[in-house]
Amino acid sequence: MWIGSHVSTRRGYREAARFVQAIGGNAFQYFPKNPRSLQLKSFDRADAERCARWCRDNGVVSVAHGPYPVNPAAEGESAEQAVLSTLNDLAIAEACGSIGVVVHFGIYKGRDPLQGYTNIVLWLNRVLDRWTGQAKILLENLAGDHGPMGTTADELVTVRSLCARPEAVGFCLDTCHLFASGQWRGPDWEAFAARAREIGFWDHLAAVHLNDSRYPAGSKRDRHARFAEGEIGRKWLRKLLETPEIRRTPLLLETPADEDGTHRRQIERVRQMSKMEEAE
């Protein structure tokens, strides 16, 4: 299994990979550039390529996460800025040997929600029309704190199917978002997993944000808790880890750090819980 956490790249991309291995992980997520801005980054390609080689040699996988202002459902100048920003992120991810770039599904405040979905499909087409690399766009489900758009697996599957190059689009499942939105409430995990299997969601899952939740199911509040210490809790996270499609996908913690400032203890907890499932 690939298990790790989000890590800083302030010391470079390769050092981020080495750091996650030092705390017991073999997978990591990183921001290619400032997560609060759409400003493009001129990156150190040699460092990125060293990261890619090191990861290949050491069995480590990585995923990039795009900046928060990227909103695929937006219109006008901001949409074009987000296109250019995402192309920049894809180039960095490609150089680092990463699976792809996580992009939040999109938020639309207009009167017609269908226009919001149309905007997302068109935005994906605009990015992918200019992208020829192997790194994918990984659409992430939302928590529902800005409205219901993007909270269901069906939406992600449908949008992917409608874009011009669906093979260049995958999914990132955030477990806190799924719980906060009410799409998963704990005991109904098997029903969600079966529906995801039926519609082909699992076929294109490329990353999992393995986050517990500070608030109850359906709260529409996106606040992460340490793994197995929140409202989802150990019982239902263990049930999630039983799912074969989850176990073969990189599991990335975006949770508050442990007392030592790292995710070492939580990574070990995930591994222990996974081994318990194997033993049973």
Side-chain angles (χ1 to χ4, degrees):
M1 294 180 71
W2 291 293
I3 303 169
S5 63
H6 188 100
V7 298
S8 170
T9 59
R10 65 182 179 274
R11 295 181 179 175
Y13 301 117
R14 185 179 65 171
E15 289 306 308
R18 294 173 68 172
F19 174 79
V20 82
Q21 188 185 61
I23 61 172
N26 58 355
F28 69 100
Q29 179 179 268
Y30 62 97
F31 290 125
K33 55 180 185 289
N34 184 347
R36 303 292 177 185
S37 170
L38 295 179
Q39 184 174 353
L40 305 188
K41 178 178 181 178
S42 179
F43 66 99
D44 184 342
R45 185 171 293 275
D47 176 47
E49 291 173 353
R50 285 194 295 270
C51 174
R53 287 194 298 272
W54 192 91
C55 287
R56 285 195 301 269
D57 292 344
N58 290 274
V60 173
V61 300
S62 66
V63 171
H65 195 304
Y68 298 120
V70 170
N71 179 10
E75 299 169 332
E77 183 178 349
S78 64
E80 178 60 19
Q81 290 175 336
V83 167
L84 296 175
S85 175
T86 301
L87 287 167
N88 185 213
D89 292 336
L90 285 166
I92 295 172
E94 183 86 355
C96 287
S98 303
I99 295 168
V101 177
V102 175
V103 175
H104 291 168
F105 185 82
I107 300 166
Y108 186 71
K109 296 297 186 180
R111 293 183 178 181
D112 182 5
L114 288 179
Q115 185 60 54
Y117 295 115
T118 300
N119 291 347
I120 296 172
V121 173
L122 294 175
W123 184 87
L124 287 169
N125 289 345
R126 289 166 66 186
V127 175
L128 297 175
D129 185 56
R130 302 183 228 178
W131 177 246
T132 58
Q134 297 300 308
K136 295 183 177 183
I137 293 177
L138 308 180
L139 290 177
E140 180 180 353
N141 61 304
L142 302 181
D145 45 347
H146 297 286
M149 178 176 280
T151 58
T152 70
D154 295 75
E155 290 169 280
L156 275 68
V157 169
T158 300
V159 163
R160 178 186 180 276
S161 71
L162 291 173
C163 73
R165 292 181 55 211
E167 71 279 2
V169 178
F171 305 132
C172 175
L173 178 68
D174 188 301
T175 55
C176 175
H177 293 180
L178 192 69
F179 191 75
S181 69
Q183 293 297 314
W184 171 37
R185 293 182 173 272
D188 59 350
W189 171 257
E190 290 183 358
F192 172 81
R195 176 59 182 167
R197 199 168 291 121
E198 177 186 350
I199 63 176
F201 177 82
W202 295 134
D203 297 338
H204 307 291
L205 184 69
V208 174
H209 287 167
L210 191 61
N211 302 319
D212 208 329
S213 174
R214 285 175 54 189
Y215 295 101
S219 65
K220 309 294 192 296
R221 301 186 72 177
D222 179 17
R223 295 293 183 272
H224 302 172
R226 289 173 178 167
F227 181 78
E229 295 182 15
E231 290 292 327
I232 301 175
R234 181 178 293 269
K235 179 178 180 180
W236 302 124
L237 287 168
R238 282 193 63 191
K239 178 62 67 175
L240 178 146
L241 289 172
E242 292 176 2
T243 308
E245 293 91 343
I246 294 288
R247 297 177 68 85
R248 69 186 185 212
T249 307
L251 307 176
L252 303 162
L253 296 162
E254 297 180 314
T255 55
D258 300 325
E259 288 79 3
D260 66 353
T262 78
H263 286 81
R264 185 190 304 273
R265 183 170 59 83
Q266 291 178 75
I267 290 171
E268 178 58 28
R269 184 180 297 165
V270 176
R271 291 199 184 282
Q272 289 175 351
M273 288 173 61
S274 300
K275 290 176 182 177
M276 290 171 66
E277 297 306 333
E278 290 173 357
E280 293 174 2

